[in-house]
């Protein structure tokens, strides 16, 4: 069988967020399993602002730079 490898590459800047509104948004966007690992919401929230991404999937190569 023909194996198609998919890969993605991201570049950006990570930042620790401390305001409750953003922390809540991050938590709500997490997979339920991950939410269950921090049910008391004591963990830190990190947001990554992506500047560039590229990769290859079955349909071809792609890349995008943030505008």
């Amino acid at each position: 069988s023909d194996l198609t490898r998919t890969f993605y590459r991201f570049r950006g800047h990570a930042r620790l967020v401390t305001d409750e509104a953003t922390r809540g948004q991050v938590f709500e966007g997490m997979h339920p399993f991950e939410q269950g690992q921090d049910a008391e919401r004591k963990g830190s929230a990190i947001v990554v602002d992506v500047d560039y991404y590229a990769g290859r999937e079955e349909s071809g190569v792609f890349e995008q730079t943030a505008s």
Side-chain angles (χ1 to χ4, degrees):
S1 82
D2 181 29
L3 296 177
T4 301
R5 294 183 182 231
T6 300
F7 75 90
Y8 303 97
R9 181 176 55 231
F10 299 90
R11 282 190 224 147
H13 298 87
R15 57 190 165 90
L16 178 66
V17 293
T18 57
D19 68 278
E20 290 303 316
T22 305
R23 289 181 78 239
Q25 286 179 319
V26 170
F27 187 86
E28 293 303 322
M30 291 169 36
H31 187 277
F33 176 81
E34 295 295 331
Q35 289 178 350
Q37 302 304 303
D38 186 20
E40 295 178 15
R41 298 185 182 207
K42 292 184 178 183
S44 299
I46 296 175
V47 172
V48 178
D49 299 309
V50 176
D51 299 321
Y52 170 86
Y53 63 93
R56 183 181 68 205
E57 43 189 22
E58 191 172 339
S59 61
V61 176
F62 62 89
E63 69 178 324
Q64 180 70 42
T65 302
S67 52

